Structures are given as structure tokens and as C-alpha cells.
Amino acid sequence: MRLPRWVSQLDPRVRATIGILLLLLILVLLYPFKTTFVPAWPIRVTNQERAPVSRINITEHWQYALLEDAAQEETQKTDDDGRVSFPARSIRANLLQRVWAAVTRMKEGAPGTKRLPPASIVIWGSKDHETTVAVCETSEAPPTELIVRSLR
């Protein structure tokens, strides 16, 4: 492959500098940057009297709508003190993937173009307690104490 004439006439140091800058640009565009979109979420589940609710199912659902087509989930049970903790949720993607996804989703009018909550919690599976839902909003810390109503 031959270089254009104007490039071959440049000083070798200038060509080397341009080459290094182009290589750095390519590396920055292709490096998979990490984005944490849901912080670690420690939760304590209590009833209306603030007593811990133990051994109840909690499912966390999360999705980075811009880059993921489907939500993911993890289910845990609370301990004897009504506590459970979910790890931070992150995604890695390079700048080209992010720009391409944003442009594609805007054209399609897909959910990634709207401000959807990145995560939610569903407390369920107890015949003694109501199913309860909590949402983690992008701009706020997730709720750390959730109250479930007793059915009896």
C-alpha cells in the first residue's frame, strides 16, 4: 500500500507522531470502558412493626437498556435479620459500540432511548406477606430498607 504523496513528503518525526496519535485514537475507541449502572444494593426487609422478615425471596432485575436487549436477574433469600445484598451491576463496552447502539436505538425508537430505571427488586414467595416491588432510579441511591405488609 502506497502512502499519498503529501504524506510521504512529511518529516519522518511528524509521520511517526501522526501514526502514534492514530494508534492511540483507535485504542481509545476500542477499549471496553466499564460503566456501573446499578450500585451495590444492600437491603433489609421488615414488616410494618419493623421486625425483620427472614427467608423471603428477593429477585433483583437489571438491564443497561442502551446495550442489552434483555434484562437479567438474580434471586436470593433474606437471612435471619431480613438482610440480603446484591453486588453492583456493570457493563463493559467500547465507545464505538456505545455510539452505534445509541444511534440504532434512536432510529428504532427502542427502550434504550427512554430513561428506564436500571434495576428493580421484587420481594415475593411468602404466603404471610404481600409481594412488594422497589425501583432503583438512575439519579438516586436505591432504597435500603423495604417494608412488606403482612397478610395475616
Side-chain angles (χ1 to χ4, degrees):
M1 180 173 113
R2 290 190 67 180
L3 294 174
R5 187 174 187 178
W6 66 271
V7 173
S8 61
Q9 292 174 346
L10 291 173
D11 181 86
R13 287 181 289 181
V14 172
R15 280 197 312 241
T17 302
I18 291 172
I20 290 170
L21 290 174
L22 286 174
L23 180 61
L24 288 173
L25 177 64
I26 290 169
L27 289 175
V28 167
L29 289 174
L30 296 179
Y31 182 79
F33 291 97
K34 181 178 178 179
T35 300
T36 299
F37 59 97
V38 180
W41 198 345
I43 300 167
R44 184 164 190 253
V45 179
T46 62
N47 62 17
Q48 300 98 306
E49 290 80 35
R50 297 283 199 247
V53 177
S54 61
R55 308 291 171 226
I56 193 167
N57 295 316
I58 300 184
T59 301
E60 179 187 36
H61 301 267
W62 70 93
Q63 179 180 4
Y64 193 76
L66 181 64
L67 295 170
E68 295 179 307
D69 290 328
Q72 300 174 61
E73 65 181 47
E74 178 184 348
T75 301
Q76 296 183 29
K77 284 191 183 281
T78 58
D79 64 13
D80 292 335
D81 194 33
R83 295 183 188 276
V84 69
S85 185
F86 292 97
R89 305 302 178 181
S90 302
I91 193 165
R92 286 191 169 274
N94 66 47
L95 294 176
L96 292 177
Q97 288 172 307
R98 292 168 192 261
V99 169
W100 179 255
V103 169
T104 303
R105 298 244 187 225
M106 279 192 286
K107 282 184 183 176
E108 297 171 354
T113 60
K114 299 175 191 153
R115 284 284 185 199
L116 299 176
S120 63
I121 291 288
V122 179
I123 302 170
W124 60 279
S126 169
K127 61 184 178 208
D128 299 325
H129 297 91
E130 207 174 66
T131 298
T132 305
V133 177
V135 175
C136 174
E137 295 291 344
T138 305
S139 59
E140 303 170 11
T144 57
E145 186 165 349
L146 299 173
I147 299 171
V148 293
R149 288 185 30 191
S150 298
L151 294 175
R152 298 176 184 195

